[in-house]
Amino acid sequence: MEQTTEERLEDLLSQMRLDEKLSLLAGENMWYTRSVERLGVPAVRMTDGPHGVTVSGDMSGPATCFPTAVGMAATWNVALLEQVGGALAREAQAKGNRVLLGPSVDLHRSPLNGRNYESYSEDPLLSGELAVAYVRGVQREGVAACIKHCTANNQQTEQSKTSSEVAERALRELYLRPWEIAVKKQAPWMIMTSYNLLNGQYTSAH
């Protein structure tokens, strides 16, 4: 009997050495994951562009520029977001990518954040529900959606050095809420951790 995807993954993981598993925690370069040639695990190519597929590596060419996330969120139209996700996935595939680095579900917390345009809203419920629709559209086409940047990544200035200090209640009710909605309702295949520290610790090391 043919293995299911989950069974195949478990089988591969059981055969991987620790060093091979650890190698998957970093990319080969900016746009590729590392391969595990011994087990036939290929490198995976990804592209940025939550509202339009960008150039990745040596692959270039035209792509559709959809409205930014904050513009699409103003419609409150989950069906439309699902259609956009599907279109982005098809364009990502056409350029040889298996992962789309989006959507961004960081909340709008400061008007000075230079990346507010690529996130949906200041409202965690709206952000979460729109992410669900977007992820559904992307992954229906066989491309991995990578929701980002978990969590409290709410300013761009020195974002890789800054620590967001967030109380537990605010963290649960606001900052983590869109992630919870997206993960529980649509199970995105990937999650990108934040650039910033959260309460003094990098989220990738939490």
Side-chain angles (χ1 to χ4, degrees):
M1 185 195 305
E2 188 174 336
Q3 288 180 313
T4 66
T5 301
E6 289 76 16
E7 289 169 340
R8 175 73 175 132
L9 287 172
E10 288 299 324
D11 183 42
L12 285 170
L13 285 171
S14 71
Q15 296 180 62
M16 278 188 189
R17 302 187 308 262
L18 179 59
D19 64 302
E20 291 171 330
K21 290 177 183 178
L22 290 172
S23 76
L24 298 177
L25 297 178
E28 182 66 36
N29 54 42
M30 185 73 172
W31 299 111
Y32 287 88
T33 63
R34 292 183 176 168
S35 64
V36 182
E37 292 183 11
R38 182 178 71 85
L39 298 174
V41 177
V44 175
R45 182 186 191 134
M46 59 194 74
T47 181
D48 208 356
H51 65 95
V53 177
T54 61
V55 173
S56 57
D58 57 353
M59 200 71 161
S60 61
T64 305
C65 183
F66 290 93
T68 59
V70 68
M72 289 190 284
T75 69
W76 292 61
N77 189 333
V78 292
L80 180 64
L81 266 288
E82 186 173 340
Q83 291 179 332
V84 169
L88 286 167
R90 290 188 294 274
E91 291 195 13
Q93 282 183 323
K95 294 180 181 296
N97 299 289
R98 298 303 306 271
V99 176
L100 181 65
L101 301 176
S104 174
V105 296
D106 298 315
L107 297 180
H108 297 178
R109 299 299 283 168
S110 167
L112 303 179
N113 181 7
R115 298 183 74 174
N116 275 345
Y117 71 93
E118 70 175 49
S119 296
Y120 295 121
S121 169
E122 72 279 9
D123 182 82
L125 178 61
L126 177 61
S127 296
E129 293 296 341
L130 293 177
V132 167
Y134 179 107
V135 169
R136 183 184 300 120
V138 171
Q139 295 186 168
R140 185 185 59 228
E141 300 293 331
V143 172
C146 180
I147 60 173
K148 59 186 185 180
H149 313 84
C150 190
T151 191
N153 196 135
N154 303 112
Q155 73 174 50
Q156 192 169 11
T157 303
E158 295 190 346
Q159 65 180 352
S160 61
K161 300 176 183 177
T162 301
S163 179
S164 297
E165 305 302 310
V166 185
E168 185 72 14
R169 181 173 179 180
L171 185 64
R172 300 281 175 185
E173 294 182 359
L174 294 173
Y175 294 93
L176 287 174
R177 185 73 175 122
W179 305 90
E180 181 183 21
I181 293 168
V183 168
K184 285 184 174 178
K185 288 192 172 184
Q186 199 53 52
W189 295 345
M190 300 177 77
I191 294 177
M192 184 189 299
T193 55
S194 60
Y195 293 93
N196 57 282
L197 292 82
L198 176 63
N199 296 332
Q201 185 174 9
Y202 282 109
T203 55
S204 59
H206 195 289

